[in-house]
Amino acid sequence: MKYAVATATIAAIALMGLSSGASAQSTLDGVKARDKVICGANGGRPGFSGLDSKGQWQGIDADVCRAIAAATLGDAAKTQFVKVTSQTRFTALQTSEVDVLTANVTWTLSRDSSLGLDIVAPIFYDGQGLMVRKDLGVTTAMELDGATVCVEPGSTSEKIVADIFRANGISYRPVVIEDRKELNNAFFSGRCDVHVQSTSGLSSGRATAASNPDDFVILKEVYGKDPMGPVVRQGDAQWRDIVAWTVYAMMAAEEFGVTSQNVDEKKAGDNADIGRLLGTTGELGKTLGLDNDWAYRVIKQVGNYGEVFERTLGKGSPLKLDRGLNAQWKDGGLIYAPPFN
């Protein structure tokens, strides 16, 4: 017990040291000095972050990184991506290896309160699901007693699968694989009976890694809540606000009908809400330590939330996901930007 207390104390002191070191220079100052935003990303989850055939990072998480670069540096291309796993991502941020995590991190109380990090502005709402081969004839988790289950260590999925099987009084054998690509390959090659991830992650894997996607079915049950968004270090309120309001700018732009194609026309108009968003009315940029065109650049160079969703996850993507919970609040979803005033 004494050893556990001492270990916890040492960890807390180390974390305080990391926070203190990070605050010596603000994150925005560091970003400007190197002229680049460094983002930690999964890299193996199509639709969220991954390399395309040309070696370019694509996905909604990658585009959020680009939006932050457009807001802070004026150019969405001024980004650097660092591949992280469920086990390395938080350390990479705590030690300032990256400026922000855009790695489909689920917002939980323990992560928000015990890691010295802040999870801000969810960009995707989901839940955990189970996928099996269709020929197993399984329709519910209660029929999976004794199944082998592919799980990623340190992930929300690892905790959820333990809860599911314990709650139903059934057993399972975990096959623990850290790399997301290897995890998908293990399941689709038949090494595991069950794949556990967010339903979007399962859809992503089925669409891109399965030789015949129709051979696999996602069970109807959805477990827990997965609000996912960018993560920053605690102790730098300015950077937290910049990352959060960059996301909100994309959401507000969709709400106001401002797109990458019509943003110049909208900027020249007389709508007060749009004027505040795009910087022609007031000086909201200064409150973030940015110029007044920061949100204009985000929309012009990256797009509004709906545009990004459509090309990365929606009907214009291989995943072809419905908006569902990720529709605008006016359309019955959870995407909601606070007022720009």
Side-chain angles (χ1 to χ4, degrees):
M1 179 65 70
K2 290 182 179 180
Y3 175 79
V5 172
T7 301
T9 302
I10 291 171
I13 293 172
L15 189 55
M16 289 173 61
L18 291 172
S19 298
S20 174
S23 63
Q25 180 187 48
S26 75
T27 306
L28 179 60
D29 286 342
V31 165
K32 288 182 174 180
R34 86 168 77 88
D35 202 31
K36 189 175 294 184
V37 177
I38 303 177
C39 296
N42 181 287
R45 189 169 181 177
F48 289 86
S49 65
L51 295 173
D52 63 16
S53 60
K54 299 179 181 179
Q56 299 297 310
W57 285 77
Q58 303 296 341
I60 190 171
D61 285 338
D63 279 348
V64 167
C65 182
R66 293 188 178 100
I68 297 167
T72 57
L73 299 175
D75 186 348
K78 291 185 176 181
T79 56
Q80 177 182 334
F81 293 95
V82 174
K83 192 177 187 304
V84 295
T85 69
S86 293
Q87 291 187 307
T88 65
R89 55 190 176 182
F90 298 126
T91 302
L93 183 58
Q94 290 165 340
T95 58
S96 299
E97 181 184 353
V98 301
D99 300 312
V100 57
L101 285 181
T102 53
N104 52 278
V105 178
T106 299
W107 192 353
T108 69
L109 187 152
S110 60
R111 289 174 175 176
D112 203 15
S113 62
S114 64
L115 298 176
L117 307 175
D118 281 325
I119 303 176
V120 301
I123 61 169
F124 191 85
Y125 293 90
D126 204 350
Q128 296 287 310
L130 307 176
M131 182 161 61
V132 298
R133 290 190 64 88
K134 187 180 294 185
D135 59 18
L136 285 181
V138 171
T139 60
T140 175
M142 289 180 286
E143 300 173 343
L144 292 172
D145 191 21
T148 54
V149 183
C150 280
V151 293
E152 185 177 4
S155 66
T156 300
S157 302
E158 185 179 34
K159 297 177 182 178
I160 288 290
V161 72
D163 291 344
I164 293 171
F165 281 80
R166 182 171 55 250
N168 288 293
I170 55 179
S171 64
Y172 72 102
R173 290 174 290 156
V175 176
V176 181
I177 301 173
E178 182 174 342
D179 183 81
R180 180 63 61 88
K181 184 176 181 179
E182 291 181 13
L183 187 71
N184 283 332
N185 289 339
F187 172 72
F188 292 116
S189 66
R191 186 175 169 188
C192 316
D193 300 314
V194 185
H195 201 354
V196 181
Q197 280 187 38
S198 63
T199 60
S200 59
L202 294 177
S203 298
S204 173
R206 182 172 60 178
T208 59
S211 57
N212 188 355
D214 292 337
D215 289 344
F216 302 90
V217 60
I218 299 173
L219 301 184
K220 61 182 179 181
E221 297 106 332
V222 177
Y223 301 90
K225 294 179 287 187
D226 279 347
M228 296 181 283
V231 187
V232 298
R233 287 180 292 277
Q234 286 180 357
D236 190 339
Q238 180 190 38
W239 185 247
R240 183 190 189 283
D241 288 345
I242 287 171
V243 172
W245 284 95
T246 295
V247 171
Y248 293 141
M250 298 166 75
M251 295 176 177
E254 182 186 20
E255 179 181 346
F256 298 151
V258 181
T259 71
S260 59
Q261 301 301 309
N262 69 14
V263 64
D264 290 303
E265 174 187 346
K266 295 288 187 180
K267 189 177 183 182
D270 58 4
N271 182 287
D273 288 326
I274 294 175
R276 286 188 290 270
L277 171 66
L278 299 181
T280 58
T281 301
E283 298 198 350
L284 293 179
K286 287 185 178 180
T287 67
L288 295 172
L290 304 175
D291 61 30
N292 265 10
D293 278 339
W294 67 277
Y296 165 80
R297 292 192 299 270
V298 169
I299 308 310
K300 181 72 172 180
Q301 297 180 28
V302 181
N304 69 30
Y305 179 84
E307 289 178 284
V308 172
F309 186 99
E310 176 64 19
R311 68 173 174 255
T312 60
L313 299 167
K315 300 305 181 183
S317 77
L319 273 66
K320 302 190 184 306
L321 296 180
D322 292 324
R323 287 290 293 265
L325 293 176
N326 299 291
Q328 283 281 332
W329 63 281
K330 298 189 299 182
D331 301 320
L334 298 177
I335 297 303
Y336 184 103
F340 276 71
N341 57 36

